[in-house]
Amino acid sequence: MSNPNPNPAGLPITEGELRSLTSDLADAHSDTFTEMRETARDAFGPLLYDVSDGAARLVATPTSRRGFLIGAGAVLGGLVVATQTPKLAGASTRGARPRAVPRQQKLTGDLAVVALAAALENLAVGTYQAGIDAATAGRLGTVAPAVVEFVTTAQKQHKDHAAAWNAVLKSAGKSEVTGVDMTVKAQVDQQFAEVKDVPGLAKLALGLENVAAATYLAAIDVVKSPAGIQTAATIEPVELQHAAILSFLLGQYPVPDSFTPQDGARPVSDTIG
Amino acid sequence: MSIDERELAALLEASQDLHADAMRDNREQLRELVDVEAGRGAPDPDQAAEFARLHTRSIGTGFRTGGLLAAAGLGAALVTVTASPAFAKSSPDVQMLQTAASIENLAVATYETALTLPFIGGTDANSVVKAFVTKTKDQHTEHAAAFNAAIKKLKGATQTATDPVLLGVVNQAKPGLTGPKAVVDLALELEDGAAQTYVANVGAMKNKSARSVTASIMGVEAQHAAILRAVQALLAAGAANLIALPPDAAALPAAAGSVGFPAGFYPTTDARPAQEGAVK
C-alpha cells in the first residue's frame, strides 16, 4: 500500500506541505496519548471492585439498528454477508491474537468492560492489518493514497487505544488482553471473505468503528469509575471521526445521526480469545 | 463541482430517514433518562462552591492551542466573568448543561449567518458544503433542545442565549468571512470547542441523564470537526473540486485520509469553562 504519486491531483500544494498541516497535531496526539495512558493507569490502579450491575446492563444492550454484526445474514451498507472463507478469516486478525486467553481471568465490573474495549480495539487493529495485507497482495485493486493514509493512521490510533486499556488491566494486576472479541470476529471474518475492493473494506471498517463507538457510549452509562468514564469519553469521538471519514470516502453522508446511538454496543458476555 | 445533485438529494433523504429514526429513539431514551433522574438536580451548596472554585482555578490553563479563541485574548476576561459567585446558584451539572445549550445556540446562529453568504448558501455555492451547513445547523438545533430538556427535568433554567464569550469571537470573525475557508475555520473552532467541552463534561458530570445526553452529542460534534478539517485542508490545497460526495478518492491527497482525526484521544485543553454559558 505505498503511495507512488506524492501529488496525485496536481494540487498547488505538495503532499509534504499538506502533511505539515497535521504534523503538529500528530505531535499533540503523541503527547496526549502518553498522558492519557499514564492517567488511565494511575486512576484505575485500585479498581478491583465488582460493579456487576453495570456489567449486567451492558449485557442487555440492544443490537444495532444499523444492522452490523447482529447475526447471520446481516446486511452492512449493501455488503451482504454470505459464506465463510477460512483463509481470509484467519488473516483478519493475524496481527492481534498471538497468545493468551484473557477470558479465564473472570473479570467483573469495570474491568470486564475494559477487557472488552481492549479486545474490540485489537480486532480493529487486526482487521485493518488484514486489509493492508490484502491490498499489498493486490486483492483489492487500486488503493488510493488517501485510503492508505486513513488505514495506517486509524490502525495506529486503535493500537494506542488498546494499549491504554491494557495499561489499566496491568495496573490492576490483571493480564493484558492480546486477543480479540471472538464473537464479533466470527462475523467480521464472514464479511471480510466477501471483500473484493476498497469500498468493501471501507464498509466493513465503518461497521466496526460504529460498533466500537456504540460500545464506548454504552460503557459511559455503566462504568462506575470516573477515570474509566473519562477514558471512554476521549476515545468514542475518535472512533466516530474514523466513521465520518469512511462515510465520506464511500460517498455516504458523513454525520448521519444527530445523537450517537448505542445500538450495536457489544456486551461483556462476548467471548475474548 | 463534481457532484450529482440527484445522488446528493437521495443521500440526504436517506440520511433524513435515519436521522428521524434516531431522533425518535433518542427522544424516548432522553425522556426515560430525565424521568429517572428528575429531582436529583437540586444544587448542593457545598458542591457548587467547590465546583466554582475549581473552575475558576482551571480557566487560565484552557487556551493552549492558539486557535481563534486564543487569538481573541479571552483568557483573562474569562477569569473575571466566571469568578462571580452568582454562577454557584445551580448545580454544577445544570451549569454545564446550560453552557452546552449556549454553545449550541451560538452554533445555530453562526450557521444561519453562514447560509446567508453567497459562497455558502447561494446558488453558486458548493452543493456539498451547503448541504452540510444546512444539516449541521439542524443538528445543533436538536442538540440545544436536548440540553434544555435535560435542564428542565433537573429543575434548572433553560438556556436560550448564546455563549457570551464565544459570541464575541464569532462577532470578531464576521467581517473576515469573505470566503469559504474563513467560514470553515470559524465553524471548526466552534465544533472542536464544543466537542472538547462535552468530552470534559462527561467526565465531570454526576447526574447520569446529564452525562448520557452530553455523551450522545460529543461524538457528533467531533464528526462535524473531522469533516470540516478535511474540507479545510482541501480548500487550503486549492482543491475545492474534490469536496464532493462521493469524492474522487484517487485524486485526494494522501493526507486527506487522516487530517480529520489528528488525535487518538480527543483532547480537552480547549474545553470551555463549565460556567461560561450558565444562566445567571
Side-chain angles (χ1 to χ4, degrees):
Chain A
M1 290 180 80
S2 61
N3 174 12
N5 184 355
N7 193 357
L11 304 177
I13 183 172
T14 66
E15 192 63 49
E17 287 169 337
L18 190 54
R19 281 176 186 281
S20 74
L21 291 173
T22 57
S23 61
D24 289 344
L25 293 168
D27 290 344
H29 159 64
S30 237
D31 294 344
T32 305
F33 171 59
T34 304
E35 291 172 13
M36 179 60 65
R37 189 162 51 181
E38 289 171 358
T39 300
R41 188 176 55 233
D42 294 345
F44 273 88
L47 206 161
L48 295 168
Y49 58 89
D50 184 355
V51 283
S52 54
D53 286 350
R57 279 207 50 193
L58 200 55
V59 170
T61 304
T63 51
S64 174
R65 69 179 172 77
R66 299 181 186 187
F68 181 67
L69 304 175
I70 59 174
V75 177
L76 171 63
L79 179 66
V80 180
V81 178
T83 57
Q84 282 187 311
T85 300
K87 184 180 177 184
L88 282 177
S92 70
T93 56
R94 185 183 304 159
R97 47 176 309 207
R99 64 180 193 281
V101 187
R103 209 57 177 164
Q104 293 175 350
Q105 292 183 95
K106 296 186 184 305
L107 299 173
T108 58
D110 285 4
L111 288 178
V113 179
V114 170
L116 172 66
L120 283 172
E121 296 292 352
N122 287 340
L123 180 61
V125 171
T127 302
Y128 280 121
Q129 186 59 48
I132 292 170
D133 293 344
T136 303
R139 294 199 296 269
L140 301 181
T142 303
V143 181
V147 174
V148 175
E149 185 76 8
F150 173 87
V151 170
T152 53
T153 305
Q155 186 194 40
K156 181 186 182 305
Q157 292 182 341
H158 284 297
K159 283 180 182 173
D160 291 346
H161 299 166
W165 291 122
N166 273 326
V168 172
L169 291 172
K170 197 173 177 182
S171 70
K174 304 297 180 183
S175 300
E176 296 183 6
V177 173
T178 55
V180 302
D181 183 321
M182 295 299 290
T183 310
V184 178
K185 178 183 179 295
Q187 298 175 57
V188 167
D189 287 349
Q190 284 186 321
Q191 296 182 22
F192 196 92
E194 298 298 306
V195 171
K196 305 297 181 193
D197 52 21
V198 169
L201 179 64
K203 287 173 186 170
L204 176 55
L206 176 59
L208 267 182
E209 298 286 2
N210 280 329
V211 163
T215 303
Y216 284 125
L217 195 57
I220 286 168
D221 273 355
V222 299
V223 166
K224 306 296 184 188
S225 159
I229 292 170
Q230 185 66 61
T231 302
T234 63
I235 295 176
E236 186 257 10
V238 177
E239 317 297 44
L240 286 174
Q241 289 187 315
H242 295 165
I245 297 300
L246 283 166
S247 293
F248 171 66
L249 291 171
L250 285 165
Q252 300 174 6
Y253 193 79
V255 193
D257 298 309
S258 295
F259 301 88
T260 307
Q262 292 188 14
D263 303 351
R266 300 309 307 171
V268 293
S269 57
D270 273 7
T271 302
I272 300 173
Chain B
M1 290 300 120
S2 55
I3 179 160
D4 185 315
E5 294 282 356
R6 285 171 301 179
E7 287 180 9
L8 178 61
L11 277 172
L12 282 172
E13 186 179 352
S15 177
Q16 290 289 358
D17 290 344
L18 274 175
H19 167 66
D21 292 343
M23 273 301 291
R24 199 162 38 244
D25 293 345
N26 276 285
R27 282 200 187 99
E28 289 169 4
Q29 290 169 8
L30 179 62
R31 188 172 58 247
E32 290 169 5
L33 282 169
V34 294
D35 283 348
V36 167
E37 297 294 329
R40 298 185 190 176
D44 176 327
D46 293 338
Q47 187 187 15
E50 176 66 5
F51 176 72
R53 185 183 67 76
L54 290 173
H55 274 276
T56 301
R57 188 182 63 188
S58 65
I59 285 165
T61 62
F63 296 89
R64 297 196 334 210
T65 58
L68 291 175
L69 306 184
L74 294 167
L78 271 174
V79 175
T80 303
V81 171
T82 60
S84 166
F87 284 91
K89 280 180 181 175
S90 303
S91 73
D93 284 1
V94 168
Q95 291 176 55
M96 284 186 269
L97 289 169
Q98 289 169 336
T99 294
S102 76
I103 292 171
E104 298 295 341
N105 292 336
L106 180 63
V108 172
T110 302
Y111 281 115
E112 282 176 346
T113 298
L115 285 167
T116 67
L117 302 171
F119 47 85
I120 297 292
T123 53
D124 294 333
N126 180 310
S127 298
V128 171
V129 172
K130 182 178 177 179
F132 178 81
V133 170
T134 302
K135 186 170 176 65
T136 301
K137 174 183 72 69
D138 292 343
Q139 290 178 327
H140 284 298
T141 301
E142 290 162 13
H143 295 169
F147 282 129
N148 273 325
I151 292 167
K152 201 171 177 181
K153 290 289 185 180
L154 294 176
K155 305 187 188 308
T158 55
Q159 177 58 283
T160 55
T162 57
D163 181 298
V165 179
L166 295 182
L167 176 62
V169 175
V170 171
N171 284 337
Q172 273 195 322
K174 272 184 183 175
L177 301 180
T178 56
K181 186 178 179 305
V183 174
V184 169
D185 290 348
L186 178 61
L188 176 55
E189 286 288 329
L190 292 179
E191 296 287 1
D192 188 49
Q196 293 200 30
T197 301
Y198 303 159
V199 169
N201 287 354
V202 162
M205 285 172 158
K206 305 295 183 192
N207 180 278
K208 189 179 174 186
S209 74
R211 186 192 306 139
S212 293
V213 170
T214 305
S216 73
I217 293 173
M218 66 183 179
V220 178
E221 317 300 36
Q223 289 188 311
H224 291 157
I227 296 304
L228 287 166
R229 283 188 200 284
V231 170
Q232 183 187 56
L234 291 172
L235 290 173
N241 60 307
L242 295 176
I243 303 169
L245 274 178
D248 181 357
L252 287 171
S258 64
V259 71
F261 44 93
F265 297 87
Y266 216 90
T268 57
T269 48
D270 281 346
R272 306 309 304 163
Q275 300 160 306
E276 184 169 285
V279 176
K280 293 181 183 176

